[in-house]
Structures are given as C-alpha cells and as structure tokens.
Amino acid sequence: MFHSSKQRKMLFKSEQELLETRSKVNQNFKNLYPECAEFFISTEDERLLCRKFERELLRFCNVFEEPPLFRSIKCTAMNFLKRFYLKHSAMEFYPQNVMLLCVYFACKVDEYTIGIDKFVSMLEESLQFETGSFILSNEFLLMEALDYSLTVYNSYRPLDGFLFEVRDRLGKESSDCLRKHALSFINDAILTDAPLLYSPSQIALSALVYSSEQNKVDISSYLKSLAHDVTTHSKLLNTINKIREHLQHNYKFQISSSKLKELEAKCNSISKSLESDGEEGSSNDEKHGERITKRRKTVDEMETEPLP
C-alpha cells in the first residue's frame, strides 16, 4: 500500500525543497571535479536536459511492440529516472544512457521479459554495444540511487477506482466519458515533478476533476463524499488546485535547439572524460579512489527527510 511505502516517505514537502536537493547534487559534483569547470552547467540547465530525456523515454517506450509496454512500466521508468538525478548529476552520468538503463530495469521490475540484445536492437546500430555495456555495468548503481526501493505506485490504478465509484453514482456513460481526459492529465503529470511531490491518488483525483470540467460532468457531490468534514474537503480541493497549477506552470518544455546541443555536448564530454579517467586510474590513481569514496559518501548523505 502506498501510505506505508517508502515512496510516500520520499515525497518532497515543497517544490523549494526539491530544488534545494537538486542544487546540492549539482554543487557536490562541482566540488569533486574542479578540473571540469569549463564544462559545468547550472542546476536549471541540468533539469532542462533531464526533462528532454524524460520525453525521449516515453517516445522510446512507444517503440515496443508485441507486446507493447505496460503503462506501469513507463511510470516506473520515469520515476527511476527522476530519482536517479536526485543523487547524481547529469554531468556525471549522461541522461541518454541513464534513461535507457531505467527503461530496461523497469521492464525487469514489472516482469516484462526482454533480453539485453533485443532491447538494444531497437537503437541505432552504432549505439547498441556501448548502451548494452552501460546498462549491464550500472544496474547496481541505479539500485543504490533508488535506495533499493523498486516498487513504484502510479496514478492509473487509483483513477480506475475513482471511475468505478463515479459509475455507481452517475452511471456508466459519465464514467466512460471522464476516462480519456483523465488519462491525458496523468500522462502529462509524469512529465513534471508532480510524482515527487504528491501521492498517486492525489494526482488521479486531480485528473478526474480536470476531466469533469472538460466534459461538463458535475462530480461535486462525489468529491464531498471523499471528505469527512468541511475542513478535510477544503484541504482536498486545495491540493487538487496546487497539482493543476503545478502542471500548468511546469508541463511546457521550451529550449532552443542550439542551447540543447550545447548542454548535451558539455554533459556528454564530462561523463565520457570521467569514464576514461576511471578506466585509466582504477588500479593506481589514489586521487580517483578518493573521489569515488567522496562521491559515495555524498550520495549517502543525500537522503530526503520523510514526511511527518
């Protein structure tokens, strides 16, 4: 159950707290690798780059056929990607590689059977060997970044529950017409930080309210039935409004192609440089060893405070 899950404990209390965590990750990386200063990018630019690959993740997931990927896998992979970059910088691990790692690992977690050879065959031939090697070499790194918490609750299941109850109250026709816009709302939500800030049921209920407005279906009596008293009902509506405002302000993704290419080039250069340094210095470079130790210590300290 979500309310007793680690996912709930890892929710952030505010967008500001989430920003501070990302800023800390960015600064910690800069402190570890001062020689890469000319390539450093800001916390905001890191987030822009990651958001680009969040969209790439969904596009890649849509390539799967026979059978297509479950919706749950897409949500799980997206959750993994967002949480990975709460512990590591995009300058350290290039998001394209991590995105594919998250999709492959989400397939394992959600029991979608696919071997690594078939998985990488969906990529350009020039990327297949390197990507396969990265995935197989970094599954444990991903699990560490996720604190070994691999169960991800998504908003689709609670939405089904809400629609079932609405059907009992308002009829099958009303329930069916609400589904399309509600699913669209949830699909948009996973491309924002909403899953790191709100519970799946809160997002699902916001999707239902949004859809009811789009379809002009009155569900006010149903919303009141979910609250025990006026105060609880007011808090519920306030949370729904916050989620909708969050999507309104954060869903759109705008960045010039030249800026995007610049960020990709910088992050790719740094990550490849670190890989090269690691291979050359893994056995006898004391400084490299010290940095690895510091990085692990820094990641261990990057725990978010649980909700009260």
Side-chain angles (χ1 to χ4, degrees):
M1 297 293 290
F2 174 78
H3 286 288
S4 59
S5 70
K6 196 168 184 179
Q7 182 179 343
R8 178 182 181 275
K9 296 177 182 178
M10 292 188 294
L11 289 179
F12 287 85
K13 299 175 183 176
S14 66
E15 293 183 43
Q16 181 60 35
E17 183 186 28
L18 178 56
L19 175 60
E20 290 173 358
T21 298
R22 286 175 172 150
S23 297
K24 187 175 181 181
V25 170
N26 179 275
Q27 189 58 52
N28 284 339
F29 176 81
K30 292 177 178 179
N31 293 340
L32 286 173
Y33 299 100
E35 68 273 20
C36 299
E38 62 181 296
F39 295 106
F40 285 159
I41 64 175
S42 67
T43 303
E44 292 74 17
D45 284 343
E46 275 199 80
R47 184 66 194 127
L48 283 174
L49 187 59
C50 288
R51 290 190 66 188
K52 185 260 188 183
F53 282 102
E54 287 174 7
R55 282 159 170 73
E56 288 295 325
L57 184 152
L58 292 184
R59 279 192 280 269
F60 179 71
C61 286
N62 290 332
V63 173
F64 284 72
E65 297 177 354
E66 300 179 4
L69 285 190
F70 319 136
R71 287 185 309 199
S72 61
I73 293 178
K74 298 176 185 180
C75 288
T76 297
M78 188 71 74
N79 183 279
F80 287 174
L81 183 61
K82 292 177 188 293
R83 286 163 57 196
F84 182 88
Y85 287 111
L86 296 176
K87 296 291 183 69
H88 297 283
S89 169
M91 294 180 283
E92 182 178 15
F93 295 101
Y94 189 53
Q96 182 181 35
N97 297 330
V98 177
M99 172 202 78
L100 295 168
L101 167 62
C102 289
V103 174
Y104 182 73
F105 200 69
C107 288
K108 281 188 173 183
V109 171
D110 282 7
E111 300 181 352
Y112 180 100
T113 305
I114 185 170
I116 188 65
D117 292 335
K118 184 177 180 181
F119 184 86
V120 299
S121 70
M122 290 181 283
L123 304 172
E124 294 180 16
E125 187 174 353
S126 60
L127 298 175
Q128 292 178 10
F129 178 78
E130 181 181 351
T131 301
S133 298
F134 179 86
I135 289 173
L136 296 178
S137 300
N138 289 286
E139 287 182 291
F140 186 70
L141 174 73
L142 176 60
M143 285 193 288
E144 281 189 319
L146 300 174
D147 294 325
Y148 305 97
S149 178
L150 307 181
T151 300
V152 175
Y153 295 88
N154 62 64
S155 297
Y156 295 112
R157 292 190 70 179
L159 175 64
D160 287 339
F162 291 139
L163 289 172
F164 183 81
E165 293 179 340
V166 168
R167 185 179 67 182
D168 285 347
R169 284 173 170 266
L170 304 178
K172 186 176 185 300
E173 184 178 349
S174 294
S175 174
D176 290 346
C177 78
L178 291 174
R179 182 177 296 277
K180 182 179 178 181
H181 282 99
L183 287 174
S184 176
F185 185 96
I186 293 175
N187 293 338
D188 290 349
I190 65 175
L191 286 170
T192 71
D193 287 329
L196 299 177
L197 296 163
Y198 302 98
S199 72
S201 60
Q202 289 173 328
I203 296 172
L205 190 58
S206 300
L208 186 68
V209 172
Y210 166 78
S211 184
S212 71
E213 293 178 359
Q214 296 298 310
N215 292 280
K216 296 181 172 56
V217 176
D218 184 10
I219 62 169
S220 57
S221 62
Y222 173 65
L223 292 178
K224 289 180 180 178
S225 73
L226 297 176
H228 300 297
D229 52 46
V230 175
T231 302
T232 305
H233 182 251
S234 178
K235 289 181 179 179
L236 182 65
L237 294 181
N238 185 48
T239 299
I240 290 172
N241 289 334
K242 284 183 178 180
I243 293 173
R244 296 183 62 180
E245 287 175 6
H246 177 81
L247 263 65
Q248 184 178 359
H249 296 147
N250 294 279
Y251 173 72
K252 289 184 179 180
F253 173 69
Q254 294 180 334
I255 182 173
S256 67
S257 58
S258 58
K259 174 71 170 179
L260 183 59
K261 287 180 180 179
E262 177 187 351
L263 295 179
E264 289 178 328
K266 284 186 176 183
C267 287
N268 204 15
S269 295
I270 296 175
S271 61
K272 286 187 178 297
S273 175
L274 294 179
E275 287 177 16
S276 176
D277 289 348
E279 292 171 0
E280 294 176 2
S282 59
S283 59
N284 56 13
D285 186 347
E286 293 182 3
K287 288 186 177 180
H288 175 77
E290 289 174 2
R291 284 174 181 162
I292 293 295
T293 301
K294 287 181 180 179
R295 187 174 69 198
R296 287 189 177 276
K297 182 179 179 182
T298 300
V299 168
D300 289 341
E301 293 172 349
M302 291 294 298
E303 296 292 337
T304 59
E305 296 180 6
L307 291 176

